[in-house]
């Protein structure tokens, strides 16, 4: 049996051993046609040769889609038998491009896949900005999910700096509607992540005793919207880094941080402005004796490095244009693309060394700390209950009362999403507060610490 020739919409692979190359092809097809079909067990000439399909084969393909493609793609994967030969068929579609495969961007040229040039990627990003699919998609939430104090704080800052015109009579609903964050009474995704009151973002924070990161001196998680998380990240780093006193200014001591606060803030804002909020990964702050690391789940544009934006003054390639526009109005962002330039300048002035790590699942910026003496070698990794996130503490209280309660009921009781409850349960398990007894369907939670 022969399926014909490969095309701009169709790709053939002999077996699932070619999964990585297949994901590059999927990204290229999505970037040109927004939909396509991938077959495993078919030769390039269209001949159905089949392949051995184990119990894990379909899952392996699903995992490849999940790990490789950003933004996330949700394919339909099925096993087909033609003339006794087994084939895997993956049908996929997506409107939120440009799509990357393992951090690189591709285009489709008839039946070939080629990597995009920087200029082609820039054009694709610009075209995507016109649609901003993810940001402008409506949630099921209305004003009841809005942190009105945060909205009012934004309004005061944006009007005082002249980037937003004052309203004749302040009204948060009208303000969000005017910003494009509320439509027909429903928050957009951008509005939810900027001003949601239900903790749409999870920020993990840890201070490790050694660079090996075996034990830690502090660990916590917090949930909030973008403005909450920027503030929380800044407070956490400022609290856990070293400060020195250099003389007096009048009667006041001059305290100097080991890493410039302005540089930390630029990266903190950057991490929440450019993150991929469709990713399964979470924001992190990791502090070791020699490093302060800020991680965001958003792959860096292919063929670009932070230096390109700091030294060459390239234009920004925003993933979340609406979110960036709101942050610009409140003066958290000055000029698109200027964050790295400011960061490197501040660090150069202070003599602070920096580095970064680019991976398919995200971007980590590293500040190197001043060398310190007498660093302790070991600290207990016990997490007190008051260090848990608010959602985790509430879930723990309910589990103490009813250990057989399921996640759907927990979400209903707490007025939170199931995703938030799932994160809280994982936090409690990781911290040793609970463990699961039995299956997910018929088991129960055992509370280990009371």
């Amino acid at each position: 049996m022969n399926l014909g020739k490969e095309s701009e919409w169709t790709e053939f692979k002999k077996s699932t051993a070619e999964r990585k190359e297949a994901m590059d092809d999927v990204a290229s097809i999505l970037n040109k046609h927004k939909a396509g079909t991938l077959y495993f067990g078919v030769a390039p000439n269209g001949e159905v040769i089949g392949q051995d399909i184990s119990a894990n084969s379909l899952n392996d393909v699903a995992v490849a889609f999940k790990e490789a493609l950003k933004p996330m793609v949700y394919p339909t994967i099925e096993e087909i038998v033609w003339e006794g030969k087994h084939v895997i068929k993956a049908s996929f579609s997506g409107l939120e491009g440009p799509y990357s495969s393992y951090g690189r961007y591709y285009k489709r040229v008839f039946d070939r896949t080629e990597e995009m040039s920087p200029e082609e990627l820039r054009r694709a990003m610009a075209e995507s900005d016109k649609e901003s699919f993810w940001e402008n998609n409506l949630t099921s939430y209305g004003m009841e999910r809005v942190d009105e104090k945060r909205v009012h704080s934004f309004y005061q800052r944006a009007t005082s700096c002249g980037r937003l015109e004052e309203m004749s009579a302040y009204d948060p609903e009208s303000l969000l509607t005017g910003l494009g964050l509320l439509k027909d009474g429903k928050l957009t995704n951008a509005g939810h992540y900027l001003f949601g009151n239900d903790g749409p973002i999870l920020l993990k924070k840890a201070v490790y005793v050694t660079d090996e990161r075996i034990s830690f001196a502090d660990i916590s998680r917090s949930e909030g919207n973008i403005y909450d998380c920027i503030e929380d990240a800044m407070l956490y780093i400022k609290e856990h880094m070293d400060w020195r006193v250099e003389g007096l200014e009048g009667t006041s001591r001059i305290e100097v941080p080991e890493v410039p606060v302005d540089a930390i803030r630029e990266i903190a804002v950057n991490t929440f402005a450019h993150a991929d909020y469709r990713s399964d990964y979470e924001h992190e702050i990791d502090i070791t004796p020699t490093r302060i690391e800020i991680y965001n789940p958003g792959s860096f544009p292919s063929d670009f490095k932070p230096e390109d934006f700091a030294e060459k003054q390239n234009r920004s390639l925003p993933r979340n244009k609406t979110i960036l526009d709101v942050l610009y109005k409140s003066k958290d962002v000055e000029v698109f693309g200027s964050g790295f330039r400011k960061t490197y300048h501040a660090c150069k002035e202070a003599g602070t060394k920096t580095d970064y790590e680019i991976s398919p699942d995200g971007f980590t910026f590293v500040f190197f700390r001043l060398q310190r003496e007498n660093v302790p070698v070991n600290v207990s990794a016990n997490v007190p209950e008051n260090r848990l996130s608010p959602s985790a503490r509430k879930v723990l209280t309910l589990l103490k009362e009813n250990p057989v309660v399921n996640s759907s009921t927990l979400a209903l009781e707490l007025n939170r999403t199931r995703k938030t409850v799932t994160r809280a349960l994982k936090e409690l398990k990781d911290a040793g507060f609970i463990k699961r007894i039995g299956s997910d369907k018929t088991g129960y939670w055992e509370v280990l610490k009371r």
Side-chain angles (χ1 to χ4, degrees):
M1 183 173 179
N2 193 290
L3 301 185
K5 296 181 179 179
E6 289 181 320
S7 69
E8 292 197 339
W9 300 270
T10 307
E11 181 68 28
F12 301 144
K13 295 297 178 188
K14 292 182 179 179
S15 74
T16 50
E18 300 178 277
R19 291 192 301 277
K20 184 182 184 305
E21 296 83 356
M23 294 305 104
D24 297 347
D25 296 318
V26 169
S28 73
I29 293 171
L30 285 169
N31 286 333
K32 187 164 187 178
H33 295 293
K34 299 181 173 31
T37 308
L38 167 68
Y39 292 93
F40 292 101
V42 181
N45 64 2
E47 181 184 354
V48 176
I49 58 177
Q51 73 160 81
D52 292 332
I53 299 179
S54 68
N56 293 325
S57 295
L58 300 184
N59 183 63
D60 290 343
V61 175
V63 169
F65 270 85
K66 179 180 179 180
E67 293 181 345
L69 298 170
K70 300 291 181 282
M72 292 286 287
V73 175
Y74 303 93
T76 299
I77 303 172
E78 55 187 323
E79 179 180 353
I80 298 174
V81 181
W82 281 316
E83 298 178 352
K85 295 177 180 178
H86 296 255
V87 171
I88 294 176
K89 177 184 178 182
S91 304
F92 52 89
S93 63
L95 300 174
E96 300 178 11
Y99 289 88
S100 65
S101 171
Y102 298 102
R104 308 190 77 82
Y105 292 83
Y106 298 92
K107 62 183 179 181
R108 193 72 168 175
V109 182
F110 188 54
D111 59 351
R112 302 192 319 278
T113 290
E114 299 178 3
E115 191 167 355
M116 287 187 184
S117 68
E119 182 56 35
E120 288 171 328
L121 175 58
R122 188 176 292 110
R123 286 199 302 268
M125 289 283 190
E127 186 63 30
S128 175
D129 287 345
K130 295 177 183 177
E131 301 295 338
S132 197
F133 293 103
W134 174 84
E135 290 185 290
N136 292 330
N137 284 344
L138 293 181
T139 69
S140 59
Y141 315 134
M143 287 298 294
E144 76 281 355
R145 290 289 181 92
V146 172
D147 184 342
E148 295 198 20
K149 289 184 179 179
R150 278 292 181 197
V151 175
H152 190 251
S153 174
F154 159 81
Y155 174 75
Q156 290 179 317
R157 293 170 59 190
T159 53
S160 64
C161 70
R163 294 183 178 179
L164 184 70
E165 186 178 345
E166 289 191 34
M167 304 173 72
S168 57
Y170 172 74
D171 175 60
E173 187 169 349
S174 298
L175 175 61
L176 293 177
T177 300
L179 293 169
L181 304 177
L182 187 74
K183 299 177 183 179
D184 300 324
K186 300 297 182 183
L187 285 170
T188 63
N189 280 323
H192 183 222
Y193 278 85
L194 280 162
F195 296 115
N197 62 11
D198 57 343
I201 305 170
L202 174 66
L203 173 61
K204 299 192 292 188
K205 301 162 289 184
V207 178
Y208 292 91
V209 178
T210 65
D211 286 335
E212 288 74 23
R213 309 184 192 204
I214 298 172
S215 58
F216 43 80
D218 184 84
I219 186 168
S220 63
R221 301 180 180 213
S222 56
E223 297 166 342
N225 55 48
I226 287 174
Y227 284 102
D228 294 335
C229 289
I230 292 172
E231 182 177 293
D232 191 32
M234 289 298 302
L235 288 173
Y236 192 82
I237 295 174
K238 288 165 69 175
E239 177 184 348
H240 290 94
M241 71 176 176
D242 293 337
W243 296 70
R244 67 183 186 276
V245 177
E246 289 189 354
L248 297 174
E249 189 175 81
T251 59
S252 302
R253 300 189 309 170
I254 301 174
E255 294 187 345
V256 180
E258 61 176 325
V259 175
V261 171
D262 288 346
I264 293 172
R265 181 168 182 80
E266 289 295 337
I267 298 300
V269 171
N270 184 289
T271 195
F272 294 104
H274 294 283
D276 181 356
Y277 289 107
R278 295 154 292 186
S279 170
D280 289 338
Y281 295 92
E282 297 156 345
H283 293 78
E284 289 186 31
I285 293 173
D286 295 319
I287 302 176
T288 77
T290 63
R291 297 157 69 100
I292 296 174
E293 299 181 0
I294 303 177
Y295 165 83
N296 88 74
S299 56
F300 212 78
S302 176
D303 292 325
F304 286 92
K305 297 179 179 179
E307 299 94 320
D308 295 323
F309 298 98
E311 300 169 3
K312 302 176 184 178
Q313 299 190 8
N314 284 314
R315 294 181 61 188
S316 174
L317 298 173
R319 174 179 281 108
N320 308 310
K321 191 174 185 300
T322 302
I323 289 173
L324 270 171
D325 185 57
V326 173
L327 290 171
Y328 171 79
K329 284 181 168 62
S330 60
K331 215 171 181 179
D332 288 278
V333 171
E334 281 296 334
V335 179
F336 292 178
S338 67
F340 286 117
R341 190 157 57 251
K342 290 185 176 182
T343 298
Y344 283 126
H345 176 75
C347 288
K348 183 178 180 181
E349 290 287 311
T352 300
K353 295 181 180 180
T354 64
D355 198 0
Y356 56 85
E357 298 170 4
I358 298 174
S359 63
D361 57 65
F363 174 76
T364 303
F365 197 87
V366 182
F367 296 99
F368 288 100
R369 308 179 65 185
L370 298 176
Q371 293 298 314
R372 299 178 298 154
E373 297 179 354
N374 302 321
V375 177
V377 295
N378 193 22
V379 172
S380 171
N382 188 41
V383 181
E385 188 170 332
N386 62 9
R387 283 291 186 180
L388 295 171
S389 67
S391 291
R393 291 199 297 270
K394 292 177 182 178
V395 168
L396 182 61
T397 299
L398 292 175
L399 290 180
K400 289 177 180 178
E401 297 172 355
N402 180 13
V404 298
V405 66
N406 59 38
S407 58
S408 297
T409 303
L410 287 170
L412 187 62
E413 290 282 340
L414 297 175
N415 193 27
R416 293 290 188 267
T417 64
R418 287 192 63 182
K419 184 177 180 180
T420 298
V421 169
T422 299
R423 291 193 312 225
L425 291 170
K426 183 178 186 304
E427 179 181 350
L428 290 169
K429 285 193 295 183
D430 292 346
F433 281 87
I434 61 173
K435 72 175 182 179
R436 188 70 179 174
I437 305 297
S439 69
D440 290 340
K441 187 174 182 180
T442 61
Y444 64 94
W445 293 103
E446 179 181 348
V447 179
L448 304 175
K449 299 180 183 180
R450 290 185 178 269

